[in-house]
Amino acid sequence: MIDFIDSFAIFVVLNVQQMTITQLQYVLAVAEYQNFTLAAQKSFVTQPTLSMQVQKLEDELDILIFDRSKKPIAVTQVGKKIVAQAKNIVNEANRIKDIVDQEKGFIGGDFILGIIPTVMPTLLPMFLKAFIKKYPKVNLIIKEQSTETIIRNIQDGHIDAAIAATPLEIEFIKERPLYYEPFVGYIPKNHRLGNIDTLKPEDLDVADVLLLQDGHCFRDGVINLCKAPKELGSEHFQLQSGSFETLINLADEDMGMTLLPYLNTLELDEKKKKNLKYFNNPSPAREVSLIHHKSELKIQITEALKDVISSIVRGAIAFQDVKIISPLGKS
């Protein structure tokens, strides 16, 4: 009964005040970007149109949602409450189309997918062609983004789902594991570990492990595996790179060793594959998941993505005995 009363109250407010979903979307855009011009650009309308609609809503409600005297524009105290409610109303309005699509069994429309940089180059070529062939009515928009950006964009509704290393332990995000990808050592023969057959975590010395630049969750996973502090630096050089290829090339120059995700090892040439060292079971691994907001908008497309990716990757990764290493940075 409470849910019905709340929904009816929203219906009454919408009709009495004659506000529109579009007006609420414009309010959300201004609240996010704190600038009318930028909000208009992101909403694909002219700035005068957006400003007029926001002003019209403020006049109808007889309150100020935004304090325009401040730079950047600030949300007023009552405006913060309206923005929070506007998010709920816009999400519920979007759900109506979702309900209809699910009832019709329709899987199509725009779907924005974020993918972290250490997963995108290896995973995307594996599933993209198969997915668009099976679901030609889905317009898949793919964005390479850091985990931090993905989390923020899921919360703000700018992406529909993402592929990232988990667990993230975030209240509003649902995690759907796709696969478990083992860590593999890349160790040239001249390295102190070059002649061992298999690796153990205790063999690792983070001082001679070449790492991705700060901000990559795979870097944090390696640091957690080595049980090392997050702030690291070489005595001789500091590396800031987002490329596994760079790490491999430096290792080949006897600058240290590195750790790679398993899928990154499949395309190495035969000479480089001789430098790969696998861990004893249970192999340290990262959990890669399809994540989305718990509101589950466009869930039918999310489920379709999960099914396609899981079926394809299952054949590429046969490891069973793994130990999940957290992607969360050490505090």
Side-chain angles (χ1 to χ4, degrees), residues 101-112:
D101 286 346
Q102 290 180 46
E103 182 67 22
K104 293 180 177 179
F106 176 72
I107 300 179
D110 291 346
F111 191 88
I112 304 176

Side-chain angles (χ1 to χ4, degrees), residues 276-294:
L276 296 179
K277 304 288 183 181
Y278 297 91
F279 282 87
N280 290 333
N281 289 332
S283 177
R286 65 173 175 176
E287 178 183 78
V288 177
S289 298
L290 187 63
I291 64 175
H292 56 83
H293 200 282
K294 286 188 175 179

Side-chain angles (χ1 to χ4, degrees), residues 87-293:
K87 286 182 180 180
N88 294 333
I89 294 172
V90 171
N91 282 339
E92 290 305 314
N94 291 336
R95 190 183 294 279
I96 293 174
K97 186 177 184 302
D98 242 27
I99 292 170
V100 174
D101 286 346
Q102 290 180 46
E103 182 67 22
K104 293 180 177 179
F106 176 72
I107 300 179
D110 291 346
F111 191 88
I112 304 176
L113 179 70
I115 308 180
I116 60 173
T118 58
V119 167
M120 190 166 181
T122 52
L123 182 62
L124 188 60
M126 295 176 68
F127 80 85
L128 182 58
K129 186 175 181 179
F131 181 82
I132 60 179
K133 183 177 180 180
K134 188 171 183 179
Y135 299 102
K137 294 181 180 179
V138 176
N139 178 30
L140 197 58
I141 303 164
I142 302 162
K143 298 184 177 183
E144 183 175 281
Q145 299 179 336
S146 67
T147 301
E148 182 180 351
T149 301
I150 281 172
I151 293 168
R152 184 170 62 251
N153 283 338
I154 288 178
Q155 184 175 32
D156 293 338
H158 294 323
I159 61 176
D160 298 302
I163 299 173
T166 54
L168 297 175
E169 302 173 1
I170 297 172
E171 189 275 332
F172 61 85
I173 286 179
K174 188 167 184 178
E175 302 175 359
R176 315 283 294 280
L178 295 168
Y179 58 93
Y180 302 97
E181 183 175 23
F183 291 41
V184 180
Y186 185 85
I187 308 176
K189 191 169 183 179
N190 291 336
H191 190 272
R192 64 180 178 84
L193 300 176
N195 292 320
I196 65 172
D197 293 325
T198 57
L199 271 175
K200 301 185 294 295
E202 52 266 34
D203 293 331
L204 302 178
D205 180 354
V206 76
D208 74 350
V209 177
L210 297 163
L211 300 168
L212 294 175
Q213 65 189 23
D214 199 12
H216 286 272
C217 57
F218 190 79
R219 169 193 170 94
D220 291 330
V222 171
I223 291 172
N224 291 344
L225 175 63
C226 296
K227 296 181 173 59
K230 192 171 188 292
E231 298 300 324
L232 300 168
S234 167
E235 292 181 5
H236 307 291
F237 68 98
Q238 291 186 2
L239 175 66
Q240 295 186 358
S241 172
S243 166
F244 284 117
E245 183 179 3
T246 299
L247 303 186
I248 290 170
N249 290 339
L250 286 172
D252 286 340
E253 293 297 320
D254 296 328
M255 300 299 291
M257 59 163 286
T258 192
L259 293 177
L260 305 173
Y262 175 75
L263 291 179
N264 287 73
T265 69
L266 300 182
E267 299 301 320
L268 294 178
D269 61 40
E270 291 305 313
K271 181 180 179 181
K272 283 182 165 52
K273 284 184 177 179
K274 292 179 180 178
N275 292 330
L276 296 179
K277 304 288 183 181
Y278 297 91
F279 282 87
N280 290 333
N281 289 332
S283 177
R286 65 173 175 176
E287 178 183 78
V288 177
S289 298
L290 187 63
I291 64 175
H292 56 83
H293 200 282

Side-chain angles (χ1 to χ4, degrees), residues 311-331:
S311 63
I312 289 174
V313 177
R314 196 176 299 124
I317 299 180
F319 292 82
Q320 299 295 328
D321 191 6
V322 297
K323 177 182 179 181
I324 306 304
I325 304 299
S326 172
L328 301 178
K330 287 174 177 266
S331 57

Side-chain angles (χ1 to χ4, degrees), residues 48-105:
T49 296
L50 181 140
S51 296
M52 180 184 67
Q53 289 298 322
V54 172
Q55 181 68 59
K56 183 179 178 182
L57 180 58
E58 289 178 319
D59 291 343
E60 289 175 352
L61 297 173
D62 194 27
I63 54 94
L64 284 178
I65 300 174
F66 301 105
D67 182 349
R68 294 161 175 79
S69 67
K70 295 184 178 180
K71 301 295 181 184
I73 291 168
V75 184
T76 63
Q77 286 303 311
V78 67
K80 291 177 182 179
K81 296 178 181 179
I82 291 172
V83 167
Q85 188 62 32
K87 286 182 180 180
N88 294 333
I89 294 172
V90 171
N91 282 339
E92 290 305 314
N94 291 336
R95 190 183 294 279
I96 293 174
K97 186 177 184 302
D98 242 27
I99 292 170
V100 174
D101 286 346
Q102 290 180 46
E103 182 67 22
K104 293 180 177 179

